[in-house]
Amino acid sequence: MWVAALAHETMYSYVANTGKFHDNNALRNDYYIDRWFTYEEIGPAEARRLIDDGVGTLDEDDHSDALAGWCADPKPLDPADVLSIAAGYNR
C-alpha cells in the first residue's frame, strides 16, 4: 500500500524509510496504463494517519535498489508540503 499524490501527471509516493515523497514513475505508469493496483482517493487527514501508521515502509533487503535510488533523490518532497498542497493550501 502506498500513500501517493498525483501532481501535473507526476506520481509521488511516500516512502517511510526516507520520510519523504518521491517521484514514482512505476506507480504513475500503473495508474495511467497498467492498472494492476487499485486506487482510492483519500484526504490529507487520512494520508497523515496512514503515514503515522507506517504505510510505505519497505523491507531494506527486498527493496534495496529502489531504496538506494530514493535515498539519493535530489528532490524529495516533505510530507507537510505535499499534504498542504493536497488540502488546497497552495492558493
Side-chain angles (χ1 to χ4, degrees):
M1 179 186 300
W2 293 99
V3 174
L6 184 62
H8 309 292
E9 297 186 11
T10 300
M11 181 74 74
Y12 297 94
S13 60
Y14 178 75
V15 180
N17 305 66
T18 65
K20 303 285 185 178
F21 277 84
H22 301 275
D23 186 342
N24 188 329
N25 196 52
L27 193 59
R28 178 201 177 278
N29 288 344
D30 183 76
Y31 182 79
Y32 282 111
I33 301 166
D34 300 327
R35 288 299 209 175
W36 289 102
F37 301 122
T38 57
Y39 297 85
E40 180 180 333
E41 188 171 334
I42 61 173
E46 179 66 3
R48 172 54 63 197
R49 186 191 68 75
L50 291 168
I51 287 169
D52 289 346
D53 286 349
V55 167
T57 302
L58 300 175
D59 181 278
E60 294 187 12
D61 292 325
D62 292 341
H63 302 282
S64 60
D65 290 341
L67 285 170
W70 284 320
C71 286
D73 183 354
K75 297 181 182 179
L77 302 177
D78 188 81
D81 294 338
V82 173
L83 298 178
S84 291
I85 292 167
Y89 297 131
N90 60 333
R91 297 176 192 169

